[in-house]
Structures are given as structure tokens and as C-alpha cells.
Amino acid sequence: MQVTSNAGQLVTQVLAGEVWPPLGDRHGFRVDPDGHAFLLPGMGGVTLGAHCGDPATGYAADHLEPGLSVRHRDPAANYALQYLTCVGNTVVVTTGPAAGSEGFVIGQHAYVLVDMPEETLRSVTAGDQVTVFAVGQGLALLEHPAIKVKNCSPRTLAALAGGTAPDGRLRVHVAARVPAEAIGAGAGMASEYANTDLMGAYEVGGEELSLGLHSLRIGDVVALADTDHRYGRGYREGWLSIGVISTGSGRLFGHGPGPSTIMSGPADAFTIIDDPGANLAVLAAVLPQKEHA
Amino acid sequence: MTIDVTPPGLGIDATPAGLTSEATSAALRLVAVNLAATVEQASVGSDPYRIDADGAPYVPVGDGGIVLGVRLGDGVWQHPADHAAPGACLVHPDPAAGYALAAQACVGNLVTVRTGAAAGRTGVVVGKRGEGGRVIATFPQDTLRLLRPGDQLAVRGRGTGAGDPVPGVAIRNIDPALLALLPVTAGSEALDVGVRAQLPSKLVGNGIGRPTPMWDLDLQLTPGTARRYDAAGLRLGDLVAITDLDARFNAGYRRGWVTIGLVVHGGSPQPGHGPGVVALLIGPAGLLRASADPAGHQGLSEEAALDAVRDLQ
């Protein structure tokens, strides 16, 4: 993105995390939109086969978290990990057979979510330790004071298309525009934690559930209409938030593929450009060459 | 077949006109359960401030515990407070028992104080709050003044499991007997309900995607934005209709459906939060017909709610 920022002044914190196992309860099942029980994988641990650029929906999964799902055992240290980690941050596996392998953060979902090449993911499992190079909170766009940037690393900002337009607005390329009706679980929560589930992209149920979001892909940059995510996730007419799709298929009603917020401001501070190529997959290109061998 | 709408011992005619029609396939007898509950102490974190939608810090007042001076019928923005509920919030120290308390307590249930200065006095469940397994109980103000956090109570849980009041319309979170006190009229095929306002589902913030038996739905409204929806006069105890929302299980978007709920707590400065609604009736808009009366709507009053449990003691 062609935009001036304070990226050169940001500090990086080195944070420890652990690949966290999927969690269940003794009853197993949850409830889909029509009241039917389901038991599906997707949340926590290491999830193979879904990467930036791949479809976000169409899986037999619930709360699909691509790649690694990372937490810290200490609650306060975990909040620091979740709040300070930003989309695009570098993550290095530090224990286990994949030690030394690198990936990048695609968002938060009460876990830090890390995309890595499929061949690397195959050798990571729950309990493996990772190091996160957290940088991005505090990032500011010097010519766009009305726009609050959050959860966005300088690397992500640089990799996105668009930038400051001659009319002073910020051009942002998005793969999809999301109506306010689609905002599901995550509303009312801090926008530095977890993400915003989008409704209306279920694998089950009738047409009356659809909000036209079935073509979303993991890593897509999206615009959320009528949302103000500067100080939490709320509805506000005439405002806009930009997010990147960090989670996929959701079977639980009121949930679904979700964006992690990276920007929020008055709608008239942005010019939104529809661009099917607006996806975090561009970051995979900057991974070390050895990871693509 | 008839619906079981009259709890044993309820001295009033609790059956709304028409609700005894051949209306449901689920005329199973409801059971009542005595649930243990504790009066909550309001709690905050180590930082006194929360952040409002514009980024300004504020100290939350009235968010949980015992709140004096907030009553059914008050405007939802009448008090400078955060999520203030009319009465006291009831909890259980064990989280799983707290979820059961929230899931099995219903609007209209009898609450009896068992310990402390108010022992022996009674109140009534008028709602629930999200996430932590909290039940909202209203008491006469002179009883509320005697309550202290930690006091023990019993909640006579009854209503969860009630059959459809008309086929295709689900009932949640309320003792069916209480429908008699609300502007609810059952025909042979549809339920007509008077509400203060009809609101679009996009206004639902916290609570969307959550299980409605133990979580209320916050309306993302302020006194300023409420005017656009003819909802500036919203009061605690009002019924509201939320369009395109199915709150039978989790709450989520479903085109053509409507959820009607009871306003159980006041507004909030927090983004994504606001006046809270407990889902009561859910169905397709053709079967569950809401009509809004922004000025004249009469919802659940404190007097009617307390009267309803008087004979259950």
C-alpha cells in the first residue's frame, strides 16, 4: 500500500506461544442453524489443507482455523500474545520436528492463527512451542488520522494494494463487501481479540440463511459496512472496517468465516476498490524460499 | 390438546385468550425446580475504566449486583449507567450451576430470599444477562434495600421446555403463564404481539451467535440512533420485535423470521452493547405477527410481575 506511516518507529516484542490442542466437552455435540447436532473438527491444534487463497467455506468443519492455533498457558501472558500479535507477523516453530520453520500470522480467533506451507504443517502438533515476532500495534497512517489501524503489521500494510489517493482518501482493495446483517458472534468484543464471525455462509440450511458470502477465501481482504471497530466491535452507520478472513467454515448458528480487523474509520475516509486478488496470499511470497521447496 | 399454561397454585387466570386452542403437539407437563442462587456483587477489573464507542474512558456504574432505583417502566437511557438492570443479579458460585440457573430460570418465576435481612421476602425473575450465567430479579424497592451481595435465594425455575404457543412459534425464557400479562393474542394459526418497536437484526450486538437460554441480546442503539427506528421511548419491560432473527437456539440471521423479546437491562456506552433483550417468542413472520406502538405500548410492569408470583409462595 502506497501510504506514509510510522512503521519505522514501531518496536517488536518477542512472544512465546504454544500450539494449543482442540478442546471438547463431555457432551461433544453442538447445534446447527436448524437445531441439528454436529461434531466437527476445525478449531484448535493444527489444521491442514486450508491456506490463504483457498476457499473459506465448503469444509466439513466448524470454526475452521487454518494452520496453527496458538495460545500461552498463563492468562495474562496469553492476553498479551493475543492483543499484540498482528496480521503478517513472523512466527517460528521452536520445538519438535518442524523447529526452525517459519510461518505468518493471518489473524486472531482467541488463538493466534498461523499459516505455514502444508509440508511444514504436517510435522507440527499440539504442544509444540512457537516464537511470535509481534509488531504492528501503534501503527498509524500519517495522512489518514481518521482511520485507526490495528492488528496490522508493517509487512501486511506494505503488501496490500492501494494507498493514498489524490483526493486524500485511502484506497483499499477488497475481495468482498460484507453487509451489516452478516455480523455475527464477536460483536461487542474487543477488536484486538478473536474475530468477527460472519453469518450467511453456512454449509447447511436453506436460502433464507444466505447472505451471499459463500465465495469468501481464507486471507481475503473484506470491507464491513456500518461497523466501527476502533474501540471494540460495534454497529455504526456510515463507518467502515477492513478485515482479513482468518477463519473458515462455521456450523454453529450465528457463526461463520470471520475477518480479523486491520482498519476502521468513517466510510468517507476510504475508497473501496473491488479486487478478487485482495488476499493475504501475497505474504506467502515473502516466506523463506526453503519453505516452498 | 391444550397447552399447560397454568402452574399449580397460580391463583389468577393465567391463560391468555386463545392460548388454550388446539395449538401444540407438545402438551407435556412442565416441571418446576428449586434453584439455589446468590445475590451478585458488582465487579470490575484492576483498571476502573471501560472505553466507550468514541474511545473515551468511563467508570461502569450499575453493571450487575444490586441496583437501587432502576425499575421496570424506566427508560433504557434514563439512568447514567452501564447495563443497569431493574433489581438484583443472581448468580451461583459454581460456573456450571450458574449456567443451569440461567437456563432454567424463566421470566415470571418466584424468587424467595432465604438468608440476610430480607429473608422470607419475595421477588420475581424478569430476565437474564449474558455469558456469566446471571438472572435478573425484581423486588419491591423496600426489599431491595435490605438485600446484600452474598445473600442466598431460591428461584422456582419453571418454563424451560414449554411447547409452542401456536404451531411453528417457539417460546423461550418465560413461564408461559406470564404471556397473560403481556400483549400477546393467539389465534388458531398465528400469534399477534404488541411491541414498542420493530428493529432490524443488524442492530443486535453482544449475544448474536450465543445460546439464548443463557444470554441476552444487546441492541446497538443510543438515544440518538433510536429515533430512526421509533425506539427513542424504549423502556425496561417493553417487548420489541427483531426482524430476520432466529433465536430458538443460538441467535442468528434468518430472513423472514422474527424474534420477540423483553427489554431487561438499560443502555451501555460500550461499542456493540446496549439495552438487553431476552428472547421470548420466535417464529416465521407469518406466524408471529408484531405490531409496534411506539407511544402506547404497555409491556411487563413491576406490579404485574410481582402480583403473578404472589400466590406461588
Side-chain angles (χ1 to χ4, degrees):
Chain A
M1 184 173 272
Q2 298 297 312
V3 63
T4 56
S5 76
N6 65 346
Q9 297 164 272
L10 299 183
V11 298
T12 300
Q13 275 186 293
V14 181
L15 302 174
E18 178 177 335
V19 180
W20 210 258
L23 304 174
D25 66 56
R26 59 197 289 264
H27 302 290
F29 290 92
R30 303 177 103 183
V31 178
D32 83 358
D34 293 312
H36 301 129
F38 68 83
L39 197 167
L40 291 167
M43 188 162 170
V46 181
T47 305
L48 304 166
H51 302 274
C52 285
D54 290 343
T57 61
Y59 303 91
D62 177 51
H63 282 93
L64 174 65
E65 294 180 340
L68 308 183
S69 302
V70 172
R71 284 187 181 175
H72 193 285
R73 287 188 176 273
D74 176 77
N78 186 51
Y79 282 124
L81 177 68
Q82 304 299 328
Y83 295 164
L84 297 174
T85 298
C86 291
V87 173
N89 284 167
T90 297
V91 178
V92 178
V93 179
T94 53
T95 66
S101 300
E102 191 173 311
F104 64 93
V105 172
I106 63 168
Q108 306 107 318
H109 188 233
Y111 299 90
V112 168
L113 307 181
V114 184
D115 194 8
M116 307 186 86
E118 184 79 0
E119 57 271 27
T120 308
L121 281 181
R122 286 198 192 101
S123 55
V124 185
T125 194
D128 285 351
Q129 302 293 308
V130 304
T131 301
V132 178
F133 294 86
V135 57
Q137 299 297 25
L139 186 60
L141 308 182
L142 303 180
E143 295 173 68
H144 304 275
I147 296 173
K148 180 97 172 168
V149 182
K150 54 175 56 191
N151 310 319
C152 182
S153 71
R155 180 164 77 168
T156 299
L157 186 69
L160 295 175
T164 304
D167 63 1
R169 294 187 182 202
L170 187 69
R171 281 185 179 151
V172 180
H173 291 230
V174 303
R177 301 182 186 224
V178 175
E181 287 76 10
I183 302 299
M189 289 169 62
S191 44
E192 286 81 3
Y193 187 76
N195 68 3
T196 309
D197 281 41
L198 301 181
M199 304 186 283
Y202 308 102
E203 282 83 14
V204 296
E207 185 281 330
E208 76 277 12
L209 298 180
S210 176
L211 285 162
L213 297 172
H214 285 88
S215 60
L216 288 173
R217 295 172 304 157
I218 304 294
D220 270 353
V221 182
V222 299
L224 309 176
D226 294 326
T227 56
D228 178 1
H229 285 191
R230 292 174 303 161
Y231 305 105
R233 300 193 191 94
Y235 174 85
R236 183 173 284 196
E237 260 179 53
W239 285 64
L240 193 71
S241 297
I242 306 295
V244 294
I245 299 294
S246 53
T247 52
S249 291
R251 187 70 61 92
L252 193 64
F253 196 39
H255 295 247
S260 295
T261 306
I262 59 170
M263 293 179 191
S264 193
D268 62 10
F270 296 92
T271 296
I272 298 302
I273 297 163
D274 296 303
D275 174 4
N279 189 284
L280 275 187
V282 293
L283 287 177
V286 302
L287 282 173
Q289 191 59 42
K290 65 186 170 70
E291 300 301 339
H292 298 282
Chain B
M1 224 179 270
T2 58
I3 313 171
D4 173 17
V5 293
T6 309
L10 188 60
I12 60 172
D13 177 7
T15 308
L19 274 186
T20 52
S21 63
E22 294 181 0
T24 177
S25 59
L28 303 174
R29 275 181 299 161
L30 295 175
V31 296
V33 290
N34 279 345
L35 303 159
T38 303
V39 176
E40 184 190 39
Q41 160 103 342
S43 60
V44 296
S46 57
D47 186 330
Y49 302 113
R50 287 183 186 164
I51 307 297
D52 76 13
D54 294 311
Y58 70 96
V59 178
V61 176
D63 192 2
I66 303 165
V67 182
L68 301 175
V70 178
R71 304 173 69 170
L72 291 175
D74 288 355
V76 294
W77 297 288
Q78 180 178 327
H79 306 281
D82 188 359
H83 293 94
C89 282
L90 313 184
V91 295
H92 194 286
D94 176 75
Y99 293 132
L101 171 66
Q104 296 184 32
C106 285
V107 175
N109 288 167
L110 171 69
V111 179
T112 306
V113 184
R114 290 166 62 97
T115 66
R121 301 204 183 198
T122 60
V124 58
V125 173
V126 296
K128 4 186 130 170
R129 288 277 313 268
E131 192 152 18
R134 293 195 279 185
V135 168
I136 301 166
T138 279
F139 299 87
Q141 290 291 307
D142 60 353
T143 298
L144 206 54
R145 267 185 223 104
L146 297 175
L147 278 183
R148 182 174 184 274
D151 284 350
Q152 307 290 307
L153 311 94
V155 177
R156 178 83 51 81
R158 184 182 183 280
T160 299
D164 296 355
V166 299
V169 174
I171 182 169
R172 295 286 187 271
N173 296 316
I174 186 168
D175 186 320
L178 255 288
L179 291 181
L181 305 180
L182 296 169
V184 177
T185 309
S188 57
E189 293 180 349
L191 213 54
D192 290 293
V193 184
V195 299
R196 176 76 65 186
Q198 190 153 290
L199 302 162
S201 64
K202 65 184 179 182
L203 294 178
V204 178
N206 183 274
I208 193 83
R210 308 302 180 192
T212 51
M214 48 190 68
W215 212 304
D216 66 321
L217 303 162
D218 277 17
L219 299 171
Q220 303 177 86
L221 285 171
T222 65
T225 60
R227 290 189 198 96
R228 289 176 219 165
Y229 304 98
D230 273 341
L234 199 60
R235 296 174 181 277
L236 299 172
D238 279 354
L239 295 179
V240 294
I242 304 170
T243 55
D244 297 324
L245 189 77
D246 174 3
R248 289 174 299 166
F249 311 111
N250 277 20
Y253 177 89
R254 190 185 293 270
R255 200 162 22 250
W257 278 53
V258 64
T259 291
I260 290 175
L262 186 70
V263 178
V264 300
H265 70 68
S268 171
Q270 273 188 291
H273 292 251
V277 175
V278 166
L280 302 182
L281 296 163
I282 306 107
L287 298 177
L288 182 58
R289 301 185 297 219
S291 55
D293 183 352
H297 172 71
Q298 294 288 329
L300 183 64
S301 71
E302 179 181 306
E303 184 182 20
L306 289 169
D307 274 353
V309 295
R310 193 149 289 146
D311 295 324
L312 292 175
Q313 296 164 32

